[in-house]
Amino acid sequence: MDKFRMIFQFFQSNQESFMNGICGIMALASTQMYSAFDFNCPCLPHYNLAYGLGILLVPPFILFLLGFVLNNNISMLAEEWRRPQGQRGKDPAVLRYMFCSMAQRALIAPAVWVSVTLLDGKCITCAFCTSVPVETLGNASHPHLSQGEIQQLLARIPCKEIYNGQQLIASEVAIRYLRCISQALGWCFVLLMTTLAFLVRSLRPCFSQAAFLKSRYWSHYIDIERKLFDETCAEHARSFAKVCIQQFFEGMSTDLVAARCQLPRKAPANAGEAAEKLLGITDQGTMNMALKNWHRCKPPLNLHPPALPTGNGWAGEGQPPTHPSAPRKETAAYYSC
């Protein structure tokens, strides 16, 4: 249990680790889904190809979309892409980094499905059983069989219980031939995916490390800013609801006292603290306006230190008072390219 707790805490440490954990779970789930899937080839000339390629390609597409759905950054990316320009520019490099990061993670589960399917060989056997070279592997001079009848016999190769064309070609020979081709394609696909991942990981820092760090930093900033904004809105909503409920019960108690009902009155606890958290936003219209302004014109990413008084603002003979030097505040600025 301690190991699982440590793994779970690692996944929750940051957004990237969490999404890596989700993608790993989806990859394991894809292999379990394929192992539990009951593959039944229709063994008909016009349906084998559609069924085999459908099992090979349709589930990876669904897993790819599911990877985007489970990624929390997809809504953040759409919001950042569609929001008005406002006071903060939108950096296309950051948007591209966020999309590429999500796409890379979403492709893990489909790649695992395609690899497992090709290495197993059932889909390729079902899809291309009618393309087996009978001249090389079987008896092409089998009498009394038209081309349509040969195709119908070859389509039944994956179904051993109904296959009756042993005189034309042995089913074991055809299945082994197609499975070898499928496994060769599977290993080539695994090698290709591994090589591409290695090239992306190793060569990307050699060309655009500075741009990559900038895009990664500001994508993390957008994620953190959104979380802090949600937390601030939730805290404001809690304080707003608390003050509203307190005012409601105070009004009820006033009405009961006016009706000559003696009720013990007690000052509400932390009423002042809840009112301070409202930050002057005490009605629904003002809060709606604040939310619209945050979406339409976010503040620029340029933090300025407070301005010091100049001229006659200093007391005395025009000289600023001598105080121990305060720690210097750093200024963080980012301008969208």
Side-chain angles (χ1 to χ4, degrees):
M1 291 300 294
D2 294 337
K3 293 182 179 179
F4 286 107
R5 189 180 298 109
M6 292 176 60
I7 296 174
F8 186 71
Q9 290 176 356
F10 172 75
F11 287 158
Q12 286 187 326
S13 59
N14 54 60
Q15 181 70 13
E16 188 172 357
S17 300
F18 176 75
M19 291 314 305
N20 289 337
I22 292 295
C23 293
I25 293 174
M26 287 185 59
L28 294 176
S30 65
T31 58
Q32 294 296 323
M33 288 171 57
Y34 183 80
S35 61
F37 177 70
D38 188 11
F39 188 89
N40 291 313
C41 186
C43 295
L44 295 173
H46 302 291
Y47 296 95
N48 285 9
L49 182 63
Y51 182 81
L53 295 182
I55 298 300
L56 179 64
L57 301 177
V58 173
F61 180 72
I62 297 175
L63 291 173
F64 180 73
L65 296 180
L66 188 61
F68 271 101
V69 170
L70 295 179
N71 199 316
N72 296 330
N73 292 337
I74 184 64
S75 58
M76 181 178 65
L77 174 62
E79 179 183 353
E80 183 68 15
W81 178 48
R82 294 295 300 171
R83 72 171 176 85
Q85 188 75 12
Q87 300 180 11
R88 182 189 302 179
K90 293 184 286 186
D91 193 343
V94 177
L95 299 179
R96 285 195 301 268
Y97 171 81
M98 294 168 61
F99 177 79
C100 293
S101 178
M102 288 186 293
Q104 289 174 6
R105 292 184 175 91
L107 282 172
I108 295 177
V112 171
W113 177 277
V114 173
S115 303
V116 173
T117 304
L118 290 177
L119 292 176
D120 184 59
K122 293 180 182 178
C123 290
I124 298 298
T125 302
C126 178
F128 298 101
C129 58
T130 55
S131 301
V132 174
V134 181
E135 298 82 2
T136 306
L137 303 178
N139 183 14
S141 60
H142 191 274
H144 310 300
L145 286 179
S146 63
Q147 187 65 27
E149 292 174 341
I150 292 176
Q151 292 294 316
Q152 188 173 5
L153 281 177
L154 294 178
R156 297 177 182 176
I157 289 177
C159 307
K160 296 181 180 181
E161 62 277 3
I162 62 173
Y163 180 67
N164 55 355
Q166 294 291 341
Q167 296 82 5
L168 180 65
I169 184 174
S171 61
E172 292 82 3
V173 175
I175 290 175
R176 179 165 298 191
Y177 171 78
L178 293 173
R179 183 167 294 178
C180 290
I181 295 177
S182 179
Q183 290 178 353
L185 293 175
W187 285 117
C188 291
F189 180 79
V190 172
L191 179 61
L192 177 62
M193 292 293 103
T194 306
T195 304
L196 289 177
F198 170 76
L199 293 177
V200 169
R201 288 288 185 177
S202 59
L203 298 182
R204 181 173 55 183
C206 300
F207 296 98
S208 58
Q209 181 66 7
F212 171 73
L213 290 176
K214 185 195 73 170
S215 302
R216 183 176 182 180
Y217 175 86
W218 289 111
S219 66
H220 289 336
Y221 172 83
I222 294 174
D223 183 32
I224 295 172
E225 184 187 52
R226 185 187 185 190
K227 290 180 180 178
L228 290 177
F229 184 78
D230 292 341
E231 293 175 1
T232 304
C233 290
E235 185 178 1
H236 184 277
R238 181 179 179 85
S239 302
F240 192 88
K242 186 174 183 179
V243 173
C244 286
I245 293 173
Q246 289 175 349
Q247 291 180 355
F248 169 76
F249 280 101
E250 288 176 358
M252 288 294 298
S253 62
T254 303
D255 295 340
L256 292 176
V257 169
R260 298 179 182 180
C261 296
Q262 300 295 330
L263 294 175
R265 300 190 62 183
K266 183 179 180 181
N270 300 328
E273 181 181 357
E276 290 178 358
K277 292 181 179 180
L278 294 177
L279 301 176
I281 304 177
T282 56
D283 62 276
Q284 183 179 5
T286 307
M287 189 63 199
N288 291 339
M289 184 180 299
L291 296 175
K292 291 180 181 179
N293 289 338
W294 175 261
H295 173 69
R296 292 176 180 175
C297 48
K298 290 185 178 181
L301 300 178
N302 189 1
L303 308 180
H304 296 286
L308 297 176
T310 58
N312 296 329
W314 295 108
E317 299 180 357
Q319 298 292 334
T322 58
H323 293 289
S325 59
R328 183 180 178 182
K329 296 182 178 180
E330 296 183 358
T331 302
Y334 169 68
Y335 300 95
S336 177
C337 299

